[in-house]
Every structure is written in structure tokens, then in C-alpha cells.
Amino acid sequence: MSFTLQDRVVSALRTAERFDEALALEVFRFQARACEPYRRYVELLGIEPETITAVEGIPYLPVEFFKSHRVWSAARDCEPETVFTSSGTTGTETSRHYVSSTALYDEAFTAGFERFYGEATGWSIFALLPSYMERTGSSLVWMVERLQARNEACGGFYLYDHDKLTADLEIAAQRGEKILLIGVAFALLDYAEYLSDRGIELHLPTDAVVMETGGMKGRRREVSRETMHDAFRRAFGVAGVHSEYGMTELLSQAYSAGEGLFRCPPWMRVSTRDLQSPLQPLGSGKTGGINVIDLANLWSCSFIAVQDRGIVYPDGSFRVLGRVEGAQIRGCNMLIE
């Protein structure tokens, strides 16, 4: 496989202003040949890749295949540069994302972040990601570490050290630094309770961003996004709470600037499917299972049916409404090793 296709994907990450359907179709045809689990899945569906002439006809691989199969499209004489793994819960199988080009991942998350938030060098990034820091193979930790490395100002990973985090946030605020506090939901809630219990009032600048990445990871009782964000607004003194939508199986992220309304970068597209007939796409405004196209996933699979429910609007923005009921997306038992 010529690396010309990767060059085109990288060009899209750097310059695209809209989703490139022709590029998506080319990536699909490549992966339908080169990614063995996807090739077999497409074959069992009775689909001939060359007959697919519109993005709407591309089948989406159930995300569970990343748990049971080596979802990889790289040349046979290459080995992955790294493997990202999901956190999972005790006793559950975790996803494994074989990444042949960490440089492509770096391009994707940097370009995505900077489209929504400007140059990464302008931010002091404070991270509360304990469940991710306590294991190896987190793509989120990889992303945040490299975004932090672009700025020599305050910031870092704080695990459970709320005292130091508070002190460093106050120093950054006094210096007039642009602050991003990013954390998994349960860790931000723990920090909010720490501030409340001690009567501490943070004095963050008006342009400070508090961003949750979702997930209680079995650490706390699940609460609604509205309840959670209200707690963050009170504790951190911000007008709105941002969110990041990403996962181990994707190399790109969507972002919400508030109210849970996510937007994708131009090389990523979200749509919905009928949960009773998963191969049937739904139009905008209809609630269904979320399908994601991520062209940065060139060397694995770019077309993934995930286990979230959502609704997509005509402008391409979307909301996540919760998890799909049931253990697995239908179709996961079509391939058996």
C-alpha cells in the first residue's frame, strides 16, 4: 500500500474545511482489502467494496471487534508503533487499538484541538485522569502529555493531589495564563467536593475551560450530564462546561463547548443507525446508535459502530444520550477466530 493515501489524510487533517467523501470512499476500499476483520465482515454482509459509490453505503464495524480481533490495516511486514488499550472494568475484556503511525495520531489530535481551541502552546493544561494514569496504554494520556509539552507554563498531571492542583491553578490564574482543566468525570466531581468541603473558591479567569471526558469508571454513581455540569459550574466558577468525545478505538475527538452539543473536525463524521436494524442508517434528528467515520484511523478501521445512543442534527453536530442497551451490537458474532 502506497503511503500516498496517508499523505492525503494528513493533508485533510491540516487543511480540510469539510468532510471529503471521495477520500472516505478510497479509505473504505483500502481497508476492505487490507484490514482482515473488516474484509471478512464486509464479505459476510455480501458487499462488494467496488460497488459502494456513496458514503451512506459503507458498513460500520461493531466496536467490539477491537476486543476480539486485531483490527489493523498496515502492511504485513510492519509492526504497530504502539497499542492503545481501553480501561474497562474488572473482569471485562478491553479494546486494543494497534497504531501503526503515532505521528498520524499526533497530527489528528493536535489539529482537532487547535481547530476548536487555538494553538496548543497558548494553554496551561491541568489534568485529572487517575483511572487513565493508573494503567498503561491510554490514548487520552498520550494526547494530554503531548499537548502539555507544547507549553512550558503551569500544568501537569495531578492524580489525587488536590492541594497542589489548587495551588497551581491559583498561580496560573495570577499570571494570567490561559487555563484548561481536563478530567474524567468522577475525578472532577471528587475535586469539586474537595473544594466545597473546604470552602475553597477558585478564582479562575473568565476564559478558563473546564472539560470533562466522560466516564465514572465504576468509581461513582452515574448522574445526568446536566447534574454533573451544574456541580462543575458551581465549584469552578465557570459559565459553561466543555466536553470531549473520544475513545480508544478512535484517533480523533469531537468537542462540546457547552450543553453537551458536540462538533467534529472535518475528517470525522457522526451519524446514527436504527438499533433494531443496525445496517439501516437514520436521517438527522432521529435517535439511534452512533456510527463514526474517523479518517485518521487509516491503519485500523475508519468506520465504527459504537455503543452510544445519540441524535445528529442537520449541521452535523450531535448529542450523546447514553449507552446502547444490551451487551453487544448485533453482528459481533459474525466472525469467530
Side-chain angles (χ1 to χ4, degrees), residues 273-306:
R273 66 183 181 277
D274 188 328
L275 289 173
Q276 300 306 312
S277 182
L279 298 180
Q280 179 64 43
L282 297 176
S284 62
K286 296 182 178 180
T287 299
I290 288 179
N291 290 338
V292 181
I293 299 177
D294 180 6
L295 297 183
N297 271 25
L298 176 63
W299 301 109
S300 54
C301 183
S302 292
F303 312 94
I304 304 175
V306 304

Side-chain angles (χ1 to χ4, degrees), residues 216-246:
M216 293 301 181
K217 305 297 181 185
R219 304 289 188 97
R220 298 180 62 115
R221 179 178 59 85
E222 293 287 343
V223 297
S224 69
R225 181 185 298 273
E226 292 75 14
T227 298
M228 180 171 62
H229 284 200
D230 185 56
F232 295 158
R233 283 191 291 268
R234 292 195 309 269
F236 306 130
V238 292
V241 178
H242 294 226
S243 304
E244 180 253 10
Y245 184 76

Side-chain angles (χ1 to χ4, degrees), residues 16-20 266-267:
E17 294 302 326
R18 60 178 59 86
F19 187 79
D20 188 336
W267 58 89

Side-chain angles (χ1 to χ4, degrees), residues 181-225:
L181 172 60
I182 182 171
V184 64
F186 80 83
L188 288 175
L189 283 171
D190 286 349
Y191 183 43
E193 289 180 358
Y194 160 88
L195 295 173
S196 175
D197 290 346
R198 289 158 180 77
I200 298 172
E201 182 178 347
L202 283 179
H203 300 93
L204 300 181
T206 56
D207 62 353
V209 170
V210 174
M211 180 184 295
E212 52 91 2
T213 67
M216 293 301 181
K217 305 297 181 185
R219 304 289 188 97
R220 298 180 62 115
R221 179 178 59 85
E222 293 287 343
V223 297
S224 69
R225 181 185 298 273

Side-chain angles (χ1 to χ4, degrees), residues 88-102:
T89 55
T90 302
T92 64
E93 201 171 9
T94 59
S95 290
R96 297 175 65 83
H97 191 170
Y98 297 88
V99 179
S100 292
S101 173
T102 54

Side-chain angles (χ1 to χ4, degrees), residues 304-326:
I304 304 175
V306 304
Q307 279 201 349
D308 292 324
R309 291 184 302 107
I311 183 169
V312 179
Y313 299 104
D315 65 354
S317 61
F318 67 99
R319 295 185 189 278
V320 180
L321 304 177
R323 300 289 285 170
V324 172
E325 296 294 331

